């Protein structure tokens, strides 16, 4: 079984969370955190900066490792590291390189996040709790 690290950005601006907008094969819209697969010999922070720039057009500065989650899919074991990040540059459309099902980015209201199709679903309440200053465990385990 192959282990894959994925590094994700949690970018909060006032009461909004920046997410990738994605379209499923059936045409339904869902959201994911910006970020992606770590390359061999690439530091996590470098992965985070590269992937976030490609998917959102923003340069970010990682601040804190906030959550770790993991799961299994087919023949791989995926481990996700989620960092709180600040935006440090203006949006650059010419730097975008979307993932296969990504169609854009969007700012979601954290007040309404539990009603949004953010994947994985369990992350909605965890991000809202963090925003409200409530304690969450760092290790989130496996999520569907």
């Amino acid at each position: 079984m192959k282990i894959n690290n994925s590094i994700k950005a949690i970018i909060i601006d006032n009461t909004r969370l920046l997410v990738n907008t994605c379209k499923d094969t059936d045409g339904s819209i869902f959201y994911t955190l910006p970020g992606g697969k770590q390359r061999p010999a690439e530091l996590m922070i470098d992965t985070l900066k590269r992937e976030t720039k490609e998917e959102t057009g923003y340069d970010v500065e990682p601040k804190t490792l906030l959550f770790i989650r993991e799961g299994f899919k087919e023949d791989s074991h995926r481990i996700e590291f989620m960092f709180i990040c600040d935006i440090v540059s203006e949006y650059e459309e010419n730097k975008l390189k979307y993932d296969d099902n990504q169609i854009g980015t969007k700012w979601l209201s954290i007040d309404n996040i539990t009603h949004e199709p953010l994947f994985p679903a369990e992350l909605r309440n965890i991000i809202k709790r963090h925003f409200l200053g409530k304690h969450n465990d760092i290790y989130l385990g496996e999520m569907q």
Side-chain angles (χ1 to χ4, degrees), residues 69 118-127 142-144:
R69 83 173 188 111
L118 176 65
F119 176 80
E122 296 97 324
L123 201 53
R124 300 170 200 169
N125 285 324
I126 291 167
I127 289 174
E142 187 171 8
M143 293 181 162
Q144 304 301 321

Side-chain angles (χ1 to χ4, degrees), residues 82-129:
M82 294 171 252
F83 288 82
I84 287 286
C85 298
D86 289 338
I87 292 175
V88 295
S89 74
E90 294 298 315
Y91 170 80
E92 293 183 59
E93 186 173 2
N94 63 335
K95 302 291 183 183
L96 295 176
K97 183 179 171 188
Y98 290 161
D99 286 342
D100 292 339
N101 59 350
Q102 184 183 353
I103 59 172
T105 58
K106 182 175 182 175
W107 289 98
L108 297 180
S109 167
I110 294 178
D111 291 336
N112 195 43
I113 199 167
T114 57
H115 304 290
E116 298 285 359
L118 176 65
F119 176 80
E122 296 97 324
L123 201 53
R124 300 170 200 169
N125 285 324
I126 291 167
I127 289 174
K128 185 158 188 173
R129 285 179 52 79

Side-chain angles (χ1 to χ4, degrees), residues 4-108:
N4 293 314
N5 287 343
S6 181
I7 319 304
K8 302 286 188 171
I10 297 175
I11 303 166
I12 297 174
D13 178 40
N14 293 318
T15 61
R16 305 177 308 160
L17 173 70
L18 184 63
V19 294
N20 292 339
T21 304
C22 303
K23 186 183 276 191
D24 210 343
T25 54
D26 67 0
S28 60
I29 300 296
F30 66 97
Y31 306 111
T32 61
L33 294 175
K37 189 175 177 182
Q38 185 177 19
R39 296 175 179 162
E42 183 178 46
L43 295 173
M44 284 185 186
I45 299 304
D46 295 335
T47 301
L48 182 64
K49 290 178 178 183
R50 174 182 54 78
E51 286 283 347
T52 303
K53 181 72 166 188
E54 290 173 359
E55 295 174 0
T56 70
Y58 291 107
D59 284 315
V60 296
E61 182 62 37
K63 295 296 181 191
T64 305
L65 174 63
L66 194 60
F67 304 122
I68 299 170
R69 83 173 188 111
E70 62 184 327
F72 302 92
K73 187 175 181 179
E74 297 161 9
D75 65 341
S76 70
H77 179 181
R78 182 179 173 126
I79 304 170
E80 290 185 353
F81 300 87
M82 294 171 252
F83 288 82
I84 287 286
C85 298
D86 289 338
I87 292 175
V88 295
S89 74
E90 294 298 315
Y91 170 80
E92 293 183 59
E93 186 173 2
N94 63 335
K95 302 291 183 183
L96 295 176
K97 183 179 171 188
Y98 290 161
D99 286 342
D100 292 339
N101 59 350
Q102 184 183 353
I103 59 172
T105 58
K106 182 175 182 175
W107 289 98
L108 297 180

